[in-house]
Amino acid sequence: MTVHFIGAGPGAADLITVRGRDLLARCGVCLYPGSMTPPDLLAYCPPGAELVDTANLSLEQIVAKLVEAHRAGHEVARLCSGDPSLYSAVAEQVRRLDAAGVPYAVVPGVPAFAASAAVLKRELTVPEIGQSLVITRVQARSTKMPPGETLAAFAATGATLALHLAVNHVERVAEELTPHYGEDCPVAVVALASQPGETVVRGVLGELPALVREAGMTRAATIFVGRVLAATDFPDSFLYSSARDRANQPESL
């Protein structure tokens, strides 16, 4: 039996992958983050499956349940909001499963930043405007950031930023980023992407705090900062250029 860490996507039940959906349908036990998992998603679980809301469980309690279910002979689904590779606490769970000798697999999902970019109808890598995306968060009461991973350090590169867990700290975000990007730098915030109550605001960095306050955004939001958000005058990429020798070059950027 295997513990399956499944990326549940950003919220909408139909944004889980086909592989993730099919695995859910096979698992007799499903652990899920209650505050982030819509009921429609749990409907993919088989009839009679044991559903465990992990919202109020500690790491030790979650791992104990995973191990217990595995040893009882169940296939186990551990749903992770978004994609397991980002802010999912999967690393500390699999470390403990390794120690317990419990096999596991990881199924990717649609991350919140990708769902939010889709809502904005924006590509986050635009030729000669921005070719890099920094995905990061803001330090608050959560686990401390590693040395050097500061907003100012990332902003100094000029790369497009996708900020998670930052919507309640927009004053600080604006203060730290404005010296690098300027008050007129385009910003966008998407809250509850793909979910009921989805909210979008667009503007410039100097008005970011006011935009977020007026929209009433308090959770599950991604903040984007960068010139790509409003780019219109940029060259076409080389990918589909008529000048490219397609016979001798593989399809790449």
Side-chain angles (χ1 to χ4, degrees):
M1 299 296 105
T2 302
V3 173
H4 303 276
F5 290 90
I6 301 172
D14 61 353
L15 283 180
I16 191 172
T17 65
V18 173
R19 181 181 296 183
R21 179 201 64 192
D22 291 349
L23 277 172
L24 271 183
R26 287 171 33 199
C27 291
V29 178
C30 175
L31 284 73
Y32 66 96
S35 61
M36 299 297 293
T37 307
D40 288 352
L41 191 57
L42 297 178
Y44 295 135
C45 295
E50 181 183 0
L51 305 179
V52 181
D53 184 352
T54 61
N56 294 314
L57 300 183
S58 67
L59 175 62
E60 289 73 20
Q61 290 172 316
I62 292 170
V63 173
K65 185 61 184 177
L66 295 175
V67 173
E68 174 192 336
H70 161 73
R71 290 177 177 168
H74 295 292
E75 291 283 345
V76 187
R78 173 59 169 125
L79 284 177
C80 309
S81 59
D83 179 81
S85 68
L86 294 171
Y87 308 122
S88 65
V90 163
E92 50 261 48
Q93 293 175 70
V94 301
R95 179 168 60 186
R96 287 161 171 79
L97 292 184
D98 281 333
V102 175
Y104 58 86
V106 179
V107 179
V110 177
F113 82 85
S116 298
V119 171
L120 295 172
K121 301 179 182 178
R122 278 285 169 182
E123 183 178 356
L124 299 178
T125 51
V126 176
E128 297 188 13
I129 303 295
Q131 290 288 286
S132 302
L133 175 69
V134 175
I135 305 167
T136 188
R137 64 176 177 86
V138 168
Q139 171 65 54
R141 292 180 298 173
S142 53
T143 307
K144 66 180 181 180
M145 296 289 284
E149 291 194 15
T150 64
L151 288 183
F154 292 132
T157 69
T160 304
L161 301 184
L163 304 177
H164 292 265
L165 308 173
V167 73
N168 293 315
H169 307 280
V170 285
E171 288 81 5
R172 174 182 160 196
V173 168
E175 180 181 352
E176 294 190 27
L177 296 184
T178 296
H180 302 276
Y181 291 95
E183 290 189 349
D184 65 341
C185 182
V187 297
V189 188
V190 182
L192 299 171
S194 84
Q195 303 176 50
E198 176 184 279
T199 307
V200 179
V201 296
R202 294 176 173 86
V204 295
L205 185 55
E207 59 186 16
L208 176 63
L211 290 171
V212 169
R213 283 196 303 269
E214 290 170 7
M217 295 175 167
T218 59
R219 67 185 184 92
T222 304
I223 301 172
F224 294 101
V225 181
R227 300 289 171 184
V228 298
L229 297 171
T232 56
D233 186 16
F234 55 87
D236 295 335
S237 71
F238 187 62
L239 180 61
Y240 298 115
S241 172
S242 59
R244 179 176 159 192
D245 180 2
R246 300 185 184 281
N248 299 311
Q249 295 180 8
E251 188 171 21
S252 66
L253 295 176

PDB file of all heavy atoms in Angstrom, residues 26-61:
ATOM      1  N   ARG A  26      -9.482   5.449  -5.727  1.00  0.00           N
ATOM      2  CA  ARG A  26      -8.969   4.142  -5.289  1.00  0.00           C
ATOM      3  C   ARG A  26      -8.630   4.092  -3.814  1.00  0.00           C
ATOM      4  O   ARG A  26      -8.392   3.008  -3.273  1.00  0.00           O
ATOM      5  CB  ARG A  26      -7.707   3.801  -6.080  1.00  0.00           C
ATOM      6  CG  ARG A  26      -7.939   3.418  -7.517  1.00  0.00           C
ATOM      7  CD  ARG A  26      -6.624   3.322  -8.273  1.00  0.00           C
ATOM      8  NE  ARG A  26      -5.498   2.861  -7.456  1.00  0.00           N
ATOM      9  CZ  ARG A  26      -4.218   3.048  -7.794  1.00  0.00           C
ATOM     10  NH1 ARG A  26      -3.921   3.703  -8.906  1.00  0.00           N
ATOM     11  NH2 ARG A  26      -3.258   2.590  -7.026  1.00  0.00           N
ATOM     12  N   CYS A  27      -8.540   5.250  -3.171  1.00  0.00           N
ATOM     13  CA  CYS A  27      -8.009   5.295  -1.805  1.00  0.00           C
ATOM     14  C   CYS A  27      -9.114   5.170  -0.760  1.00  0.00           C
ATOM     15  O   CYS A  27     -10.076   5.948  -0.766  1.00  0.00           O
ATOM     16  CB  CYS A  27      -7.238   6.600  -1.588  1.00  0.00           C
ATOM     17  SG  CYS A  27      -5.696   6.670  -2.543  1.00  0.00           S
ATOM     18  N   GLY A  28      -8.932   4.223   0.148  1.00  0.00           N
ATOM     19  CA  GLY A  28      -9.916   4.015   1.199  1.00  0.00           C
ATOM     20  C   GLY A  28      -9.832   5.022   2.318  1.00  0.00           C
ATOM     21  O   GLY A  28     -10.748   5.140   3.134  1.00  0.00           O
ATOM     22  N   VAL A  29      -8.706   5.750   2.380  1.00  0.00           N
ATOM     23  CA  VAL A  29      -8.522   6.790   3.394  1.00  0.00           C
ATOM     24  C   VAL A  29      -8.023   8.047   2.693  1.00  0.00           C
ATOM     25  O   VAL A  29      -7.114   7.976   1.857  1.00  0.00           O
ATOM     26  CB  VAL A  29      -7.516   6.356   4.483  1.00  0.00           C
ATOM     27  CG1 VAL A  29      -7.302   7.473   5.499  1.00  0.00           C
ATOM     28  CG2 VAL A  29      -7.993   5.085   5.185  1.00  0.00           C
ATOM     29  N   CYS A  30      -8.595   9.184   3.035  1.00  0.00           N
ATOM     30  CA  CYS A  30      -8.176  10.463   2.448  1.00  0.00           C
ATOM     31  C   CYS A  30      -8.009  11.498   3.544  1.00  0.00           C
ATOM     32  O   CYS A  30      -8.949  11.778   4.296  1.00  0.00           O
ATOM     33  CB  CYS A  30      -9.201  10.943   1.426  1.00  0.00           C
ATOM     34  SG  CYS A  30      -8.835  12.596   0.753  1.00  0.00           S
ATOM     35  N   LEU A  31      -6.807  12.045   3.649  1.00  0.00           N
ATOM     36  CA  LEU A  31      -6.543  13.160   4.553  1.00  0.00           C
ATOM     37  C   LEU A  31      -6.519  14.432   3.722  1.00  0.00           C
ATOM     38  O   LEU A  31      -5.855  14.482   2.675  1.00  0.00           O
ATOM     39  CB  LEU A  31      -5.205  12.990   5.268  1.00  0.00           C
ATOM     40  CG  LEU A  31      -5.160  11.972   6.428  1.00  0.00           C
ATOM     41  CD1 LEU A  31      -5.214  10.549   5.912  1.00  0.00           C
ATOM     42  CD2 LEU A  31      -3.908  12.185   7.280  1.00  0.00           C
ATOM     43  N   TYR A  32      -7.225  15.453   4.176  1.00  0.00           N
ATOM     44  CA  TYR A  32      -7.363  16.669   3.378  1.00  0.00           C
ATOM     45  C   TYR A  32      -7.334  17.909   4.273  1.00  0.00           C
ATOM     46  O   TYR A  32      -7.727  17.853   5.435  1.00  0.00           O
ATOM     47  CB  TYR A  32      -8.678  16.634   2.597  1.00  0.00           C
ATOM     48  CG  TYR A  32      -9.919  16.688   3.467  1.00  0.00           C
ATOM     49  CD1 TYR A  32     -10.574  17.896   3.712  1.00  0.00           C
ATOM     50  CD2 TYR A  32     -10.430  15.541   4.071  1.00  0.00           C
ATOM     51  CE1 TYR A  32     -11.693  17.955   4.524  1.00  0.00           C
ATOM     52  CE2 TYR A  32     -11.550  15.587   4.879  1.00  0.00           C
ATOM     53  CZ  TYR A  32     -12.180  16.793   5.104  1.00  0.00           C
ATOM     54  OH  TYR A  32     -13.282  16.862   5.920  1.00  0.00           O
ATOM     55  N   PRO A  33      -6.855  19.037   3.724  1.00  0.00           N
ATOM     56  CA  PRO A  33      -6.871  20.304   4.482  1.00  0.00           C
ATOM     57  C   PRO A  33      -8.269  20.911   4.422  1.00  0.00           C
ATOM     58  O   PRO A  33      -8.684  21.431   3.383  1.00  0.00           O
ATOM     59  CB  PRO A  33      -5.835  21.162   3.756  1.00  0.00           C
ATOM     60  CG  PRO A  33      -5.849  20.642   2.346  1.00  0.00           C
ATOM     61  CD  PRO A  33      -6.177  19.176   2.428  1.00  0.00           C
ATOM     62  N   GLY A  34      -8.999  20.846   5.521  1.00  0.00           N
ATOM     63  CA  GLY A  34     -10.410  21.223   5.513  1.00  0.00           C
ATOM     64  C   GLY A  34     -10.698  22.639   5.074  1.00  0.00           C
ATOM     65  O   GLY A  34     -11.695  22.895   4.396  1.00  0.00           O
ATOM     66  N   SER A  35      -9.827  23.574   5.429  1.00  0.00           N
ATOM     67  CA  SER A  35     -10.099  24.972   5.109  1.00  0.00           C
ATOM     68  C   SER A  35      -9.909  25.281   3.632  1.00  0.00           C
ATOM     69  O   SER A  35     -10.339  26.331   3.157  1.00  0.00           O
ATOM     70  CB  SER A  35      -9.193  25.880   5.943  1.00  0.00           C
ATOM     71  OG  SER A  35      -7.824  25.615   5.659  1.00  0.00           O
ATOM     72  N   MET A  36      -9.257  24.360   2.892  1.00  0.00           N
ATOM     73  CA  MET A  36      -8.924  24.639   1.500  1.00  0.00           C
ATOM     74  C   MET A  36      -9.518  23.634   0.517  1.00  0.00           C
ATOM     75  O   MET A  36      -9.298  23.760  -0.685  1.00  0.00           O
ATOM     76  CB  MET A  36      -7.393  24.641   1.333  1.00  0.00           C
ATOM     77  CG  MET A  36      -6.674  25.687   2.160  1.00  0.00           C
ATOM     78  SD  MET A  36      -7.135  27.369   1.693  1.00  0.00           S
ATOM     79  CE  MET A  36      -6.438  27.448   0.050  1.00  0.00           C
ATOM     80  N   THR A  37     -10.258  22.647   0.994  1.00  0.00           N
ATOM     81  CA  THR A  37     -10.739  21.586   0.116  1.00  0.00           C
ATOM     82  C   THR A  37     -12.241  21.687  -0.098  1.00  0.00           C
ATOM     83  O   THR A  37     -13.010  21.544   0.858  1.00  0.00           O
ATOM     84  CB  THR A  37     -10.406  20.200   0.700  1.00  0.00           C
ATOM     85  OG1 THR A  37      -9.004  20.125   0.990  1.00  0.00           O
ATOM     86  CG2 THR A  37     -10.779  19.096  -0.279  1.00  0.00           C
ATOM     87  N   PRO A  38     -12.703  21.925  -1.325  1.00  0.00           N
ATOM     88  CA  PRO A  38     -14.138  22.015  -1.583  1.00  0.00           C
ATOM     89  C   PRO A  38     -14.804  20.644  -1.504  1.00  0.00           C
ATOM     90  O   PRO A  38     -14.180  19.626  -1.851  1.00  0.00           O
ATOM     91  CB  PRO A  38     -14.210  22.581  -2.996  1.00  0.00           C
ATOM     92  CG  PRO A  38     -12.934  22.132  -3.640  1.00  0.00           C
ATOM     93  CD  PRO A  38     -11.905  22.131  -2.551  1.00  0.00           C
ATOM     94  N   PRO A  39     -16.040  20.574  -1.064  1.00  0.00           N
ATOM     95  CA  PRO A  39     -16.746  19.292  -0.985  1.00  0.00           C
ATOM     96  C   PRO A  39     -16.792  18.547  -2.313  1.00  0.00           C
ATOM     97  O   PRO A  39     -16.741  17.312  -2.341  1.00  0.00           O
ATOM     98  CB  PRO A  39     -18.152  19.703  -0.529  1.00  0.00           C
ATOM     99  CG  PRO A  39     -17.965  21.012   0.173  1.00  0.00           C
ATOM    100  CD  PRO A  39     -16.842  21.690  -0.546  1.00  0.00           C
ATOM    101  N   ASP A  40     -16.871  19.274  -3.429  1.00  0.00           N
ATOM    102  CA  ASP A  40     -16.925  18.628  -4.739  1.00  0.00           C
ATOM    103  C   ASP A  40     -15.680  17.787  -5.008  1.00  0.00           C
ATOM    104  O   ASP A  40     -15.739  16.788  -5.723  1.00  0.00           O
ATOM    105  CB  ASP A  40     -17.073  19.676  -5.844  1.00  0.00           C
ATOM    106  CG  ASP A  40     -18.456  20.316  -5.868  1.00  0.00           C
ATOM    107  OD1 ASP A  40     -19.336  19.827  -5.132  1.00  0.00           O
ATOM    108  OD2 ASP A  40     -18.641  21.290  -6.607  1.00  0.00           O
ATOM    109  N   LEU A  41     -14.562  18.183  -4.450  1.00  0.00           N
ATOM    110  CA  LEU A  41     -13.333  17.431  -4.659  1.00  0.00           C
ATOM    111  C   LEU A  41     -13.385  16.099  -3.910  1.00  0.00           C
ATOM    112  O   LEU A  41     -12.961  15.061  -4.424  1.00  0.00           O
ATOM    113  CB  LEU A  41     -12.131  18.259  -4.194  1.00  0.00           C
ATOM    114  CG  LEU A  41     -10.742  17.754  -4.557  1.00  0.00           C
ATOM    115  CD1 LEU A  41     -10.602  17.599  -6.063  1.00  0.00           C
ATOM    116  CD2 LEU A  41      -9.682  18.696  -4.036  1.00  0.00           C
ATOM    117  N   LEU A  42     -13.916  16.126  -2.711  1.00  0.00           N
ATOM    118  CA  LEU A  42     -14.012  14.898  -1.920  1.00  0.00           C
ATOM    119  C   LEU A  42     -15.016  13.926  -2.516  1.00  0.00           C
ATOM    120  O   LEU A  42     -15.002  12.736  -2.191  1.00  0.00           O
ATOM    121  CB  LEU A  42     -14.389  15.235  -0.476  1.00  0.00           C
ATOM    122  CG  LEU A  42     -13.370  16.091   0.292  1.00  0.00           C
ATOM    123  CD1 LEU A  42     -13.879  16.402   1.689  1.00  0.00           C
ATOM    124  CD2 LEU A  42     -12.013  15.396   0.353  1.00  0.00           C
ATOM    125  N   ALA A  43     -15.869  14.409  -3.389  1.00  0.00           N
ATOM    126  CA  ALA A  43     -16.846  13.526  -4.049  1.00  0.00           C
ATOM    127  C   ALA A  43     -16.157  12.510  -4.950  1.00  0.00           C
ATOM    128  O   ALA A  43     -16.769  11.495  -5.311  1.00  0.00           O
ATOM    129  CB  ALA A  43     -17.841  14.352  -4.856  1.00  0.00           C
ATOM    130  N   TYR A  44     -14.898  12.728  -5.308  1.00  0.00           N
ATOM    131  CA  TYR A  44     -14.154  11.761  -6.100  1.00  0.00           C
ATOM    132  C   TYR A  44     -13.725  10.551  -5.273  1.00  0.00           C
ATOM    133  O   TYR A  44     -13.323   9.533  -5.842  1.00  0.00           O
ATOM    134  CB  TYR A  44     -12.909  12.406  -6.721  1.00  0.00           C
ATOM    135  CG  TYR A  44     -13.189  13.483  -7.739  1.00  0.00           C
ATOM    136  CD1 TYR A  44     -12.487  14.686  -7.718  1.00  0.00           C
ATOM    137  CD2 TYR A  44     -14.136  13.308  -8.739  1.00  0.00           C
ATOM    138  CE1 TYR A  44     -12.714  15.682  -8.658  1.00  0.00           C
ATOM    139  CE2 TYR A  44     -14.386  14.295  -9.685  1.00  0.00           C
ATOM    140  CZ  TYR A  44     -13.665  15.485  -9.634  1.00  0.00           C
ATOM    141  OH  TYR A  44     -13.896  16.463 -10.570  1.00  0.00           O
ATOM    142  N   CYS A  45     -13.758  10.674  -3.951  1.00  0.00           N
ATOM    143  CA  CYS A  45     -13.378   9.547  -3.090  1.00  0.00           C
ATOM    144  C   CYS A  45     -14.410   8.425  -3.212  1.00  0.00           C
ATOM    145  O   CYS A  45     -15.589   8.685  -3.482  1.00  0.00           O
ATOM    146  CB  CYS A  45     -13.287   9.998  -1.636  1.00  0.00           C
ATOM    147  SG  CYS A  45     -11.977  11.212  -1.319  1.00  0.00           S
ATOM    148  N   PRO A  46     -14.004   7.180  -3.007  1.00  0.00           N
ATOM    149  CA  PRO A  46     -14.959   6.073  -3.138  1.00  0.00           C
ATOM    150  C   PRO A  46     -15.986   6.076  -2.007  1.00  0.00           C
ATOM    151  O   PRO A  46     -15.712   6.599  -0.923  1.00  0.00           O
ATOM    152  CB  PRO A  46     -14.066   4.838  -3.074  1.00  0.00           C
ATOM    153  CG  PRO A  46     -12.875   5.276  -2.304  1.00  0.00           C
ATOM    154  CD  PRO A  46     -12.647   6.714  -2.682  1.00  0.00           C
ATOM    155  N   PRO A  47     -17.157   5.519  -2.248  1.00  0.00           N
ATOM    156  CA  PRO A  47     -18.163   5.420  -1.185  1.00  0.00           C
ATOM    157  C   PRO A  47     -17.582   4.686   0.027  1.00  0.00           C
ATOM    158  O   PRO A  47     -16.904   3.671  -0.114  1.00  0.00           O
ATOM    159  CB  PRO A  47     -19.283   4.602  -1.840  1.00  0.00           C
ATOM    160  CG  PRO A  47     -19.103   4.828  -3.311  1.00  0.00           C
ATOM    161  CD  PRO A  47     -17.628   4.953  -3.527  1.00  0.00           C
ATOM    162  N   GLY A  48     -17.830   5.242   1.200  1.00  0.00           N
ATOM    163  CA  GLY A  48     -17.354   4.606   2.418  1.00  0.00           C
ATOM    164  C   GLY A  48     -15.936   4.939   2.802  1.00  0.00           C
ATOM    165  O   GLY A  48     -15.436   4.448   3.828  1.00  0.00           O
ATOM    166  N   ALA A  49     -15.248   5.763   2.008  1.00  0.00           N
ATOM    167  CA  ALA A  49     -13.872   6.126   2.341  1.00  0.00           C
ATOM    168  C   ALA A  49     -13.841   6.911   3.650  1.00  0.00           C
ATOM    169  O   ALA A  49     -14.757   7.673   3.970  1.00  0.00           O
ATOM    170  CB  ALA A  49     -13.263   6.964   1.224  1.00  0.00           C
ATOM    171  N   GLU A  50     -12.787   6.699   4.412  1.00  0.00           N
ATOM    172  CA  GLU A  50     -12.593   7.463   5.643  1.00  0.00           C
ATOM    173  C   GLU A  50     -11.983   8.815   5.286  1.00  0.00           C
ATOM    174  O   GLU A  50     -10.907   8.878   4.690  1.00  0.00           O
ATOM    175  CB  GLU A  50     -11.681   6.721   6.605  1.00  0.00           C
ATOM    176  CG  GLU A  50     -11.468   7.470   7.922  1.00  0.00           C
ATOM    177  CD  GLU A  50     -10.508   6.773   8.871  1.00  0.00           C
ATOM    178  OE1 GLU A  50      -9.994   5.690   8.512  1.00  0.00           O
ATOM    179  OE2 GLU A  50     -10.262   7.326   9.956  1.00  0.00           O
ATOM    180  N   LEU A  51     -12.671   9.884   5.628  1.00  0.00           N
ATOM    181  CA  LEU A  51     -12.213  11.235   5.320  1.00  0.00           C
ATOM    182  C   LEU A  51     -11.735  11.906   6.604  1.00  0.00           C
ATOM    183  O   LEU A  51     -12.482  11.985   7.587  1.00  0.00           O
ATOM    184  CB  LEU A  51     -13.345  12.049   4.689  1.00  0.00           C
ATOM    185  CG  LEU A  51     -14.006  11.440   3.449  1.00  0.00           C
ATOM    186  CD1 LEU A  51     -15.121  12.346   2.941  1.00  0.00           C
ATOM    187  CD2 LEU A  51     -12.978  11.191   2.354  1.00  0.00           C
ATOM    188  N   VAL A  52     -10.496  12.386   6.586  1.00  0.00           N
ATOM    189  CA  VAL A  52      -9.880  12.961   7.778  1.00  0.00           C
ATOM    190  C   VAL A  52      -9.491  14.407   7.498  1.00  0.00           C
ATOM    191  O   VAL A  52      -8.604  14.673   6.672  1.00  0.00           O
ATOM    192  CB  VAL A  52      -8.631  12.158   8.205  1.00  0.00           C
ATOM    193  CG1 VAL A  52      -8.015  12.768   9.467  1.00  0.00           C
ATOM    194  CG2 VAL A  52      -8.980  10.696   8.424  1.00  0.00           C
ATOM    195  N   ASP A  53     -10.133  15.334   8.176  1.00  0.00           N
ATOM    196  CA  ASP A  53      -9.805  16.755   8.050  1.00  0.00           C
ATOM    197  C   ASP A  53      -8.572  17.039   8.906  1.00  0.00           C
ATOM    198  O   ASP A  53      -8.587  16.835  10.125  1.00  0.00           O
ATOM    199  CB  ASP A  53     -10.993  17.599   8.522  1.00  0.00           C
ATOM    200  CG  ASP A  53     -10.768  19.093   8.336  1.00  0.00           C
ATOM    201  OD1 ASP A  53      -9.643  19.501   7.974  1.00  0.00           O
ATOM    202  OD2 ASP A  53     -11.723  19.866   8.579  1.00  0.00           O
ATOM    203  N   THR A  54      -7.493  17.511   8.272  1.00  0.00           N
ATOM    204  CA  THR A  54      -6.241  17.735   8.997  1.00  0.00           C
ATOM    205  C   THR A  54      -6.079  19.164   9.507  1.00  0.00           C
ATOM    206  O   THR A  54      -5.036  19.500  10.069  1.00  0.00           O
ATOM    207  CB  THR A  54      -5.034  17.406   8.095  1.00  0.00           C
ATOM    208  OG1 THR A  54      -5.054  18.279   6.946  1.00  0.00           O
ATOM    209  CG2 THR A  54      -5.087  15.958   7.642  1.00  0.00           C
ATOM    210  N   ALA A  55      -7.114  19.985   9.354  1.00  0.00           N
ATOM    211  CA  ALA A  55      -6.984  21.407   9.693  1.00  0.00           C
ATOM    212  C   ALA A  55      -6.552  21.619  11.139  1.00  0.00           C
ATOM    213  O   ALA A  55      -5.793  22.554  11.431  1.00  0.00           O
ATOM    214  CB  ALA A  55      -8.295  22.133   9.423  1.00  0.00           C
ATOM    215  N   ASN A  56      -7.016  20.773  12.038  1.00  0.00           N
ATOM    216  CA  ASN A  56      -6.702  20.957  13.456  1.00  0.00           C
ATOM    217  C   ASN A  56      -5.765  19.881  13.998  1.00  0.00           C
ATOM    218  O   ASN A  56      -5.656  19.699  15.216  1.00  0.00           O
ATOM    219  CB  ASN A  56      -7.993  20.975  14.271  1.00  0.00           C
ATOM    220  CG  ASN A  56      -8.860  22.180  13.944  1.00  0.00           C
ATOM    221  OD1 ASN A  56      -8.372  23.302  13.866  1.00  0.00           O
ATOM    222  ND2 ASN A  56     -10.146  21.947  13.722  1.00  0.00           N
ATOM    223  N   LEU A  57      -5.092  19.168  13.112  1.00  0.00           N
ATOM    224  CA  LEU A  57      -4.162  18.126  13.531  1.00  0.00           C
ATOM    225  C   LEU A  57      -2.722  18.627  13.475  1.00  0.00           C
ATOM    226  O   LEU A  57      -2.367  19.434  12.622  1.00  0.00           O
ATOM    227  CB  LEU A  57      -4.302  16.892  12.639  1.00  0.00           C
ATOM    228  CG  LEU A  57      -5.662  16.194  12.598  1.00  0.00           C
ATOM    229  CD1 LEU A  57      -5.578  14.931  11.718  1.00  0.00           C
ATOM    230  CD2 LEU A  57      -6.149  15.835  13.988  1.00  0.00           C
ATOM    231  N   SER A  58      -1.900  18.116  14.374  1.00  0.00           N
ATOM    232  CA  SER A  58      -0.479  18.432  14.351  1.00  0.00           C
ATOM    233  C   SER A  58       0.219  17.545  13.326  1.00  0.00           C
ATOM    234  O   SER A  58      -0.341  16.548  12.836  1.00  0.00           O
ATOM    235  CB  SER A  58       0.136  18.184  15.731  1.00  0.00           C
ATOM    236  OG  SER A  58       0.121  16.787  16.033  1.00  0.00           O
ATOM    237  N   LEU A  59       1.460  17.874  13.010  1.00  0.00           N
ATOM    238  CA  LEU A  59       2.245  17.060  12.086  1.00  0.00           C
ATOM    239  C   LEU A  59       2.337  15.621  12.583  1.00  0.00           C
ATOM    240  O   LEU A  59       2.178  14.661  11.800  1.00  0.00           O
ATOM    241  CB  LEU A  59       3.642  17.662  11.932  1.00  0.00           C
ATOM    242  CG  LEU A  59       4.636  16.857  11.088  1.00  0.00           C
ATOM    243  CD1 LEU A  59       4.153  16.710   9.657  1.00  0.00           C
ATOM    244  CD2 LEU A  59       6.017  17.523  11.131  1.00  0.00           C
ATOM    245  N   GLU A  60       2.591  15.444  13.860  1.00  0.00           N
ATOM    246  CA  GLU A  60       2.723  14.102  14.416  1.00  0.00           C
ATOM    247  C   GLU A  60       1.424  13.311  14.275  1.00  0.00           C
ATOM    248  O   GLU A  60       1.440  12.114  13.952  1.00  0.00           O
ATOM    249  CB  GLU A  60       3.129  14.182  15.890  1.00  0.00           C
ATOM    250  CG  GLU A  60       4.555  14.650  16.135  1.00  0.00           C
ATOM    251  CD  GLU A  60       4.754  16.135  15.873  1.00  0.00           C
ATOM    252  OE1 GLU A  60       3.740  16.894  15.861  1.00  0.00           O
ATOM    253  OE2 GLU A  60       5.913  16.542  15.661  1.00  0.00           O
ATOM    254  N   GLN A  61       0.289  13.974  14.492  1.00  0.00           N
ATOM    255  CA  GLN A  61      -0.995  13.293  14.362  1.00  0.00           C
ATOM    256  C   GLN A  61      -1.284  12.909  12.907  1.00  0.00           C
ATOM    257  O   GLN A  61      -1.823  11.835  12.628  1.00  0.00           O
ATOM    258  CB  GLN A  61      -2.115  14.188  14.909  1.00  0.00           C
ATOM    259  CG  GLN A  61      -2.087  14.357  16.419  1.00  0.00           C
ATOM    260  CD  GLN A  61      -3.088  15.403  16.897  1.00  0.00           C
ATOM    261  OE1 GLN A  61      -3.211  16.480  16.299  1.00  0.00           O
ATOM    262  NE2 GLN A  61      -3.802  15.099  17.974  1.00  0.00           N
TER     263      GLN A  61
END
